[in-house]
Amino acid sequence: MTSNREIHLASRPQGWPTEDTFRLVETDVPTPGPGQIVVRNQYMSVDPYMRGRMNDVKSYVPPFALDAPLDGAAIGEVVASEAADIAVGTTVQHGLGWREYALLDATAARPVDPSVAPASAYLSVLGMTGLTAYAGLLEVAAMKPGETVFVSAAAGAVGSLVGQIAKLKGAGRVIGSAGSPAKVERLRALGFDAAFDYHDGVRESLRAAAPDGVDVYFDNVGGDHLEAAISVMNLHGRAAICGMIGQYNATEPPAAPRNLALVIGKRLTLRGFLVNDHNDVRAAFVRDVSGWLRDGTLSYDETIVDGIENAPAAFLGLLRGENLGKMLVKV
């Protein structure tokens, strides 16, 4: 193959992105230099945080450049190598998705074993997604056995794992919100003690599901979900703030939460976190999750869209909540 297709950022969206935000560009397959490899990507991840990188604002990660390929987690096979320690044929995980062929320094790639788990799993349950769920729940929120846990966007890639890990680590009650009756049923099948469709009213549904209050809130949504969680959290409750997808495309400041004063009297802890700050628990994460996968006590869902040309549609679908579990593109 000599042709390589990439998805470039064509414009910076105001509000919701559209298909015109992206451009499919054809380039040559790159040639590696000393210490470099070329990877034929098999799967790439689309994630909510990527919406923020489309804005030209200072953040914890640089914005995407206009008229250049986007990037993100990907996994694929090395097809050319000028690096002594990574051979052609090796499956590697790296950070240059949104393209069919990726040129990168070998030091930026992490070899994985596709015989242990499907390649796509290294972008979901065994990758950043799984570590986010594990570290956010157990390190950031410091969940204790017997506590009540509420998870927003609980049918998504991270949320569905948070709920299951909470049960496996001894939570007394786990509650999840989702965006459709079918997703609510899936959460119950995954072992959530209660689940509700947020379209039926977040505050009312959460109060009914948590009559004795909530000790830990894992926040993927922000806004009305965070407000509802604060209203029912018990004394010394903890919230791990992972994401706020409910306001990523907003053009006006969010109306909620309006009850932050409750943080004082309840002595609550609201703590934002980034998964890269918690690599110290990676060994424990791999040990626990690998064991749970082997014995069948942990399940994970993937929504896979086929074709690099459909990556923008997959990303837009993710923002609309069309995915069950991890949204991936089969390149």
Side-chain angles (χ1 to χ4, degrees):
M1 292 291 293
T2 59
S3 178
N4 177 36
R5 293 184 298 169
E6 306 173 335
I7 302 296
H8 289 207
L9 185 65
S11 62
R12 299 201 184 279
Q14 301 297 316
W16 281 83
T18 68
E19 291 278 356
D20 292 337
T21 303
F22 309 89
R23 181 182 300 117
L24 181 64
V25 176
E26 189 168 312
T27 65
D28 294 331
V29 173
T31 300
Q36 293 184 319
I37 58 174
V38 174
V39 180
R40 174 61 169 97
N41 284 334
Q42 298 168 333
Y43 293 93
M44 53 162 276
S45 175
V46 292
D47 300 285
Y49 81 89
M50 294 175 175
R51 174 60 188 86
R53 294 189 65 192
M54 294 177 184
N55 301 329
D56 189 13
V57 296
K58 185 177 181 180
S59 184
Y60 62 89
V61 63
F64 293 127
L66 284 173
D67 302 314
L70 293 86
D71 58 69
I75 195 163
E77 181 181 348
V78 176
V79 295
S81 176
E82 292 295 330
D85 52 349
I86 298 186
V88 170
T90 304
T91 300
V92 297
Q93 183 180 351
H94 61 92
L96 291 182
W98 294 88
R99 66 204 79 190
E100 291 176 317
Y101 290 87
L103 171 68
L104 63 151
D105 292 338
T107 54
R110 184 166 67 90
V112 298
D113 187 351
S115 69
V116 173
S120 60
Y122 290 99
L123 296 178
S124 57
V125 65
L126 287 173
M128 181 182 71
T129 299
L131 182 58
T132 299
Y134 187 93
L137 177 69
L138 302 178
E139 293 290 306
V140 178
M143 188 209 81
K144 304 178 186 68
E147 291 189 319
T148 295
V149 177
F150 170 46
V151 187
S152 57
V158 173
S160 59
L161 296 177
V162 171
Q164 293 181 84
I165 293 170
K167 294 296 290 185
L168 288 165
K169 288 292 188 178
R173 183 169 177 81
V174 176
I175 303 159
S177 71
S180 72
K183 288 183 177 182
V184 168
E185 287 305 310
R186 178 56 179 159
L187 294 182
R188 291 178 176 140
L190 291 175
F192 282 68
D193 297 291
F196 61 86
D197 185 336
Y198 64 78
H199 295 104
D200 295 333
V202 181
R203 183 185 289 263
E204 300 79 5
S205 298
L206 181 57
R207 284 194 178 278
D212 296 320
V214 166
D215 302 297
V216 168
Y217 172 45
F218 195 103
D219 190 15
N220 292 303
V221 176
D224 57 349
H225 279 73
L226 180 56
E227 181 176 283
I230 290 171
S231 72
V232 301
M233 287 181 80
N234 295 324
L235 290 178
H236 304 292
R238 290 92 60 208
I241 312 298
C242 178
M244 294 193 175
I245 195 171
Q247 58 199 62
Y248 286 167
N249 298 300
T251 56
E252 298 293 332
R258 297 160 294 186
N259 57 350
L260 282 175
L262 292 177
V263 171
I264 303 167
K266 292 186 175 186
R267 283 84 93 195
L268 304 180
T269 299
L270 312 183
R271 181 179 168 192
F273 75 100
L274 299 177
V275 65
N276 289 336
D277 294 336
H278 297 278
N279 283 316
D280 58 314
V281 301
R282 182 178 292 277
F285 155 71
V286 171
R287 181 198 65 229
D288 284 350
V289 171
S290 297
W292 293 330
L293 290 174
R294 279 194 302 271
D295 63 23
T297 55
L298 183 70
S299 300
Y300 65 99
D301 295 313
E302 295 176 340
T303 300
I304 298 178
V305 174
D306 192 46
I308 186 71
E309 69 277 8
N310 294 316
F315 177 71
L316 297 176
L318 171 75
L319 295 181
R320 291 191 293 263
E322 295 173 359
N323 58 301
L324 184 65
K326 182 69 175 178
M327 180 72 91
L328 297 170
V329 177
K330 186 176 181 181
V331 180

